[in-house]
Amino acid sequence: MSKRMGDLWASGLGLLRHEPTEMRLRAISGGRELVNTTRAVLVWEPRRVVASYAVPVAELGAELTVSSVEPVPAPEGILHPGHPFLAHSCPGQVVDVDGLAGAGFRPDDPELAEYVVLDFKALDEWYEEDERLVSHPRDPYHRVVVRASSRSVRVERDGVLLAESSRPSLVFETTLPTRFYLPREDVVAELLPSERHTACAYKGHATYYSVEGAPNLFWSYLEPQKEVRELAGLVSFFDDDVDVYVDGELRDRPSGPHAESVRQEFSVS
């Protein structure tokens, strides 16, 4: 019987997974280059939806020492970017990296015996080849597609019209709900500036807006990553919190672990 690809992806979440990359990976901390390798490996601990980079210990320009930092108990369910690096979900040893407490992890796995997994947020700058990474490592199996559309999109909250457009851009992203991006002039609600800013590895840095009674409901990528440059200046929204009508039909609100994961990622500044 045929298997849905998304179900196959979900069935492997409980495993420790890894994928080598030939890209040159560099990482800098405190002005020092600690990583410069073409033998990096992306590592997903069990139940993690976002990978961390692991590098060969022999090529790491930093001292590793056994850490006195204790791992954080990993909660049940999916581990999203809002969960700390120290919430390890497989056996292994926590290590300090050049004095950065708990910034490394050495899983007890023969395939990764020569590697140390690094906390992306503990180091200052990360580069794949000469392009700087934002937020976290990119998944080679994660795809983001922007498509211009002529479908009609109407957004309401508690029966009040917030936006209506016949020229949306739709974002189709692997394992995540479809998102609708609208021209700002098609938003009829008053958008109030917010202090919240977040980052997406695939789209860039997001600026948020509130509407009356709903803080941080809308966001926009003013200078998106080049792969999604069509999104520049467009406005999207948490359709978990509003009613969305597409061609007159009310869509179900996103639910389940994937929707919760993306919501938590958006909540990380």
Side-chain angles (χ1 to χ4, degrees):
M1 180 180 293
S2 178
K3 290 283 189 181
R4 183 173 177 267
M5 289 296 293
D7 294 336
L8 287 175
W9 176 86
S11 69
L13 277 176
L15 304 175
L16 176 63
R17 297 146 287 152
H18 73 278
E19 184 66 32
T21 176
E22 290 191 52
M23 279 191 274
R24 180 190 180 204
L25 180 72
R26 294 184 297 127
I28 296 168
S29 178
R32 291 185 56 228
E33 187 175 76
L34 303 188
V35 174
N36 189 337
T37 182
T38 57
R39 296 200 301 129
V41 173
L42 286 159
V43 174
W44 295 259
E45 290 188 44
R47 298 184 285 113
R48 286 274 183 191
V49 294
V50 170
S52 295
Y53 263 123
V55 301
V57 173
E59 296 184 25
L60 184 67
E63 181 182 7
L64 296 182
T65 55
V66 176
S67 182
S68 60
V69 176
E70 294 291 332
V72 176
E76 297 295 323
I78 284 182
L79 299 176
H80 52 68
H83 291 118
F85 176 77
L86 280 168
H88 297 297
S89 55
C90 65
Q93 184 179 67
V94 178
V95 293
D96 296 342
V97 180
D98 215 38
L100 299 172
F105 182 65
R106 304 200 66 180
D108 292 339
D109 185 276
E111 291 285 340
L112 301 171
E114 298 179 6
Y115 286 81
V116 57
V117 183
L118 299 175
D119 182 357
F120 188 91
K121 295 180 181 178
L123 279 65
D124 299 329
E125 301 172 38
W126 290 82
Y127 296 86
E128 288 177 345
E129 297 298 338
D130 292 336
E131 295 199 10
R132 187 169 180 176
L133 295 176
V134 174
S135 187
H136 58 73
R138 288 184 165 203
D139 185 333
Y141 301 106
H142 191 99
R143 188 166 181 246
V144 181
V145 177
V146 182
R147 291 289 183 263
S149 176
S150 57
R151 290 202 253 176
S152 66
V153 176
R154 181 181 177 90
V155 184
E156 296 181 0
R157 184 173 185 271
D158 298 330
V160 177
L161 178 65
L162 301 181
E164 189 167 22
S165 181
S166 59
R167 46 180 181 164
S169 291
L170 275 57
V171 173
F172 302 95
E173 190 165 357
T174 306
T175 74
L176 300 180
T178 301
R179 294 291 185 187
F180 301 89
Y181 283 74
L182 314 178
R184 183 161 178 169
E185 54 267 31
D186 291 349
V187 179
V188 299
E190 182 183 5
L191 295 182
L192 307 172
S194 168
E195 294 183 358
R196 180 176 293 281
H197 296 274
T198 62
C200 169
Y202 308 96
K203 304 182 200 75
H205 295 277
T207 297
Y208 282 75
Y209 305 94
S210 302
V211 298
E212 186 177 357
N216 304 313
L217 182 64
F218 288 84
W219 70 84
S220 181
Y221 292 98
L222 303 180
E223 297 181 355
Q225 302 274 54
K226 62 183 180 181
E227 294 86 352
V228 292
R229 55 184 175 271
E230 306 99 313
L231 297 182
L234 301 182
V235 179
S236 192
F237 49 88
F238 284 116
D239 45 354
D240 324 49
D241 297 335
V242 294
D243 293 323
V244 182
Y245 295 84
V246 178
D247 290 336
E249 183 176 344
L250 178 63
R251 286 172 56 87
D252 292 333
R253 293 190 180 187
S255 62
H258 300 321
E260 175 62 18
S261 173
V262 74
R263 184 61 183 257
Q264 291 296 331
E265 180 169 3
F266 270 109
S267 298
V268 179
S269 298

